[in-house]
């Protein structure tokens, strides 16, 4: 039912010519999510950092985070069935906390995803430059040419119908998962069943000084699953597909990385894993794969790592383009960004705009002489915080939305009250840890911490201020913010 007394936007139906369309199923949507987390990049890059902070407790930390995010998914999925619009968190926050907060959340999402995505071109450029020059003995081409090339490729793919991206991402993800499974099996086999069983799952202590950072990095590996709702108009049977893909993605990511962490511990030994991860963070995975399976397989893994970055970047570009499209459709951004391709039914202008922003940033930082090794940790870490903050705000919006509805539409207490309360507490704690450990998150100084944290909160507050301006000066635009169908 509709209840305008709760300041919920009235229904605004898009005409078919300006509506996104696709035919993704559960598996393809889940693979889009998995691509965001970039399995090989996570296992080769982030997981050694997590092991450095957590040691043999890493698998248990992944399991714990998985359980918490599954609880978050309960209210999240319930909200996706009640707020039936393709605006993602933008629609959710609007429905729960009002239009100003919704617009602030939309700006956090859009800029956050664009910034996170910018880690990929620089990382891709450096990785491919080294592989071509050192491993293949080819020419030493500057990193920024590779970075511009990958930006062009993902932009062409994002320009097209989402089904093309989904098929490509599915193939790449299956290959990546296969490589990591081979690593897991090789690690467990090399040490014998008794050794593997003796490793077990050590539980972290609440007094561990590095537990906060370990939790923070673990939660970051799950980002992307929350974007399932942004594809509502591009999947088959949205209510079933979104809910199943969300649960599958969260559970799959958590178990997958827990087993990979367990494989590292089995290979290196529970007593040595933390020290090895600290002393050999960058090459921990490649050295382990080389020792277990051989150099040729390790080189194949590097090639798939390169394609993994491409898949991750494409996934992020698709999400950012859809947030841009949603805002433009509501006229909060220039209307041309809300155009839909007649044949591909994709947000092609927004997709190209994101690619242009990334290309311009690559050129700018190249001219300024900023090293790519400096760019990708800051781009990834700073706006990981933006997405985390948005998830916390969304969890609060979900709770408020269902609590306000209980007087006239009471539903399951577990789905609409208990699970959302647990989510608010959990994500609030993780957000606090991100603030407390922000310098480690971005690998930067206190000055950079102040700059980027201020910028992040300014995005949310700026969106609120912009919404209030629209309410005062352009009420016809304000009335359409967060357009959705409310059941």
């Amino acid at each position: 039912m509709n209840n305008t007394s709760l300041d919920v936007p009235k229904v605004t139906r898009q005409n078919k010519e300006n509506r996104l369309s696709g035919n993704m199923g559960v598996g393809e949507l889940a693979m889009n999510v998995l691509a965001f987390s970039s399995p090989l990049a996570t296992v080769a890059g982030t997981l050694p950092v997590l092991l450095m902070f957590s040691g043999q407790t890493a698998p248990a930390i992944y399991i714990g985070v998985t359980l918490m995010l599954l609880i978050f998914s309960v209210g999240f999925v319930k909200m996706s069935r009640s707020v039936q619009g393709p605006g993602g968190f933008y629609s959710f926050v609007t429905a729960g906390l009002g239009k100003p907060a919704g617009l602030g959340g939309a700006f956090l999402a859009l800029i956050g995803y664009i910034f996170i995505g910018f880690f990929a071109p620089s990382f891709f450029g450096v990785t491919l430059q080294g592989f071509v020059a050192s491993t293949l003995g080819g020419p030493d081409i500057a990193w920024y040419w590779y970075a511009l090339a990958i930006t062009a490729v993902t932009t062409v793919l994002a320009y097209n119908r989402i089904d093309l991206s989904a098929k490509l991402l599915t193939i790449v993800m299956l290959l990546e998962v296969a490589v990591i499974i081979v690593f897991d099996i090789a690690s467990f086999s090399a040490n014998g069943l008794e050794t593997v069983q003796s490793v077990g799952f050590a539980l972290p202590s609440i007094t561990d000084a590095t537990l906060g950072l370990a939790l923070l990095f673990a939660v970051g590996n799950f980002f992307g699953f929350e974007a399932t709702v942004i594809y509502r108009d591009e999947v088959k049977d949205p209510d079933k597909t979104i809910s199943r893909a969300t649960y599958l993605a969260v559970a799959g990511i958590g178990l997958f990385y827990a087993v990979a962490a367990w494989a590292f511990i089995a290979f290196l030994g529970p007593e040595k894993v933390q020290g090895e991860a600290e002393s050999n963070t960058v090459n921990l995975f490649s050295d382990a794969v080389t020792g277990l399976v051989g150099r040729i397989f390790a080189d194949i893994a590097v090639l798939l790592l390169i394609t993994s970055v491409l898949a991750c970047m494409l996934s992020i570009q698709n999400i950012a383009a859809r947030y841009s499209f949603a805002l433009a459709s509501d006229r909060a951004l220039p209307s041309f960004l809300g155009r839909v391709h007649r044949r591909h039914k994709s947000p092609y202008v927004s997709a190209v705009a994101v690619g242009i922003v990334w290309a311009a940033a690559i050129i700018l930082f190249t001219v300024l002489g900023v090293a790519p090794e400096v760019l990708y940790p800051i781009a990834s870490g700073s706006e990981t915080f933006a997405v985390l903050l948005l998830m916390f705000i969304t969890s609060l919006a979900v709770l408020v939305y269902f609590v306000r509805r209980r007087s006239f539409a009471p539903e399951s207490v577990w789905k609409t009250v208990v699970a959302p309360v647990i989510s608010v507490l959990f994500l609030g704690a993780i957000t606090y840890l991100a603030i407390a450990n922000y310098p480690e998150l971005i690998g930067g100084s206190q000055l950079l911490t102040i700059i980027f944290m201020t910028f992040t909160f300014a995005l949310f507050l700026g969106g609120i201020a912009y919404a209030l301006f629209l309410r005062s000066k352009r009420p016809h635009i304000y009335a359409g913010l967060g357009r959705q169908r409310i059941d």
Side-chain angles (χ1 to χ4, degrees):
M1 62 178 290
N2 291 340
N3 186 19
T4 55
S5 66
L6 294 184
D7 192 29
V8 173
K10 296 180 180 180
V11 177
T12 302
R13 296 190 179 277
Q14 293 174 279
N15 60 58
K16 292 182 179 180
E17 289 298 317
N18 198 49
R19 185 169 180 172
L20 304 179
S21 178
N23 197 37
M24 287 193 293
V26 173
E28 291 173 322
L29 184 55
M31 287 300 175
N32 266 277
V33 170
L34 186 60
F36 189 108
S37 75
S38 189
L40 260 178
T42 295
V43 173
T46 307
L47 189 47
V49 176
L50 178 62
L51 290 167
M52 181 174 66
F53 292 129
S54 63
Q56 62 180 315
T57 66
I61 287 174
Y62 271 122
I63 297 299
V65 170
T66 301
L67 292 175
M68 288 295 101
L69 290 178
L70 284 173
I71 292 174
F72 169 83
S73 299
V74 171
F76 176 81
V77 166
K78 179 63 180 172
M79 190 78 163
S80 73
R81 290 171 174 166
S82 297
V83 181
Q84 298 178 359
F89 283 173
Y90 171 35
S91 296
F92 285 14
V93 177
T94 300
L97 302 179
K99 297 178 190 294
L103 194 56
F107 283 177
L108 269 179
L110 176 59
I111 304 303
Y113 283 119
I114 289 176
F115 266 66
I116 287 178
F118 186 63
F119 97 91
S122 51
F123 183 76
F124 177 88
V126 170
T127 304
L128 189 55
Q129 180 186 32
F131 185 77
V132 170
S134 301
T135 305
L136 301 181
D140 187 12
I141 301 172
W143 71 272
Y144 48 82
W145 291 115
Y146 292 118
L148 290 171
I150 190 178
T151 301
V153 170
T154 59
T155 300
V156 169
L157 290 168
Y159 180 98
N160 281 270
R161 188 176 177 88
I162 188 62
D163 299 344
L164 176 61
S165 294
K167 288 179 172 60
L168 175 63
L169 292 176
T170 299
I171 294 170
V172 174
M173 289 305 100
L174 289 175
L175 291 172
E176 287 187 52
V177 168
V179 167
I180 296 169
I181 289 175
V182 169
F183 163 69
D184 293 344
I185 294 173
S187 177
F188 294 143
S189 301
N191 293 279
L193 182 60
E194 292 183 3
T195 302
V196 173
Q197 291 175 332
S198 69
V199 171
F201 283 82
L203 296 176
S205 171
I206 195 69
T207 59
D208 288 348
T210 56
L211 177 59
L213 278 170
L215 283 169
L216 185 58
F217 275 90
V219 169
N221 294 158
F222 289 80
F223 283 176
F225 84 89
E226 76 283 358
T228 51
V229 292
I230 202 74
Y231 294 108
R232 168 169 280 276
D233 286 346
E234 299 167 90
V235 299
K236 296 179 287 189
D237 193 355
D239 285 344
K240 291 182 179 179
T241 298
I242 290 172
S243 62
R244 291 173 182 174
T246 300
Y247 287 123
L248 176 63
V250 174
I253 288 172
L255 292 174
F256 185 72
Y257 291 143
V259 172
W262 191 16
F264 270 115
I265 297 167
F267 176 68
L268 298 169
E271 298 82 13
K272 297 180 181 179
V273 63
Q274 195 161 5
E276 289 288 337
E278 186 172 357
S279 62
N280 190 29
T281 309
V282 175
N283 297 311
L284 192 70
F285 178 72
S286 61
D287 288 352
V289 170
T290 301
L292 288 167
V293 191
R295 169 55 60 185
I296 293 177
F297 188 83
D299 289 341
I300 293 173
V302 172
L303 276 174
L304 287 174
L305 173 60
I306 293 169
T307 60
S308 172
V309 175
L310 186 151
C312 174
M313 187 173 170
L314 174 58
S315 175
I316 296 171
Q317 189 165 3
N318 279 329
I319 295 170
R322 278 150 185 81
Y323 271 109
S324 172
F325 168 81
L327 286 166
S329 296
D330 291 358
R331 300 171 66 188
L333 289 180
S335 59
F336 68 87
L337 293 170
R339 293 176 185 170
V340 175
H341 197 282
R342 289 188 178 183
R343 181 160 59 91
H344 300 306
K345 295 300 180 183
S346 63
Y348 71 108
V349 178
S350 282
V352 171
V354 173
I356 290 173
V357 169
W358 282 340
I362 292 167
I363 294 170
L364 174 63
F365 287 118
T366 298
V367 172
L368 294 176
V370 180
E373 294 85 353
V374 175
L375 290 177
Y376 55 77
I378 291 178
S380 177
S382 62
E383 296 315 308
T384 291
F385 174 66
V387 176
L388 179 59
L389 178 62
L390 176 60
M391 287 181 67
F392 169 65
I393 294 169
T394 303
S395 67
L396 184 61
V398 170
L399 175 61
V400 171
Y401 174 78
F402 284 116
V403 167
R404 293 166 73 187
R405 285 171 57 93
R406 290 196 66 78
S407 62
F408 63 89
E411 299 182 77
S412 166
V413 174
W414 162 247
K415 292 181 179 180
T416 61
V417 178
V418 178
V421 166
I422 295 173
S423 299
V424 169
L425 294 175
F426 173 67
L427 290 171
I430 297 298
T431 302
Y432 168 77
L433 290 173
I435 293 172
N437 296 282
Y438 198 89
E440 288 81 5
L441 184 64
I442 66 171
S445 64
Q446 287 295 333
L447 177 60
L448 285 176
T449 295
I450 294 171
I451 292 172
F452 283 104
M453 190 172 290
T454 301
F455 175 72
T456 301
F457 283 105
L459 282 174
F460 182 64
L461 296 176
I464 292 175
Y466 181 38
L468 295 177
F469 166 79
L470 292 175
R471 185 173 68 181
S472 173
K473 303 296 184 181
R474 299 176 183 175
H476 59 291
I477 295 179
Y478 179 82
L481 294 179
R483 63 197 159 70
Q484 55 209 242
R485 297 183 295 276
I486 305 294
D487 290 341

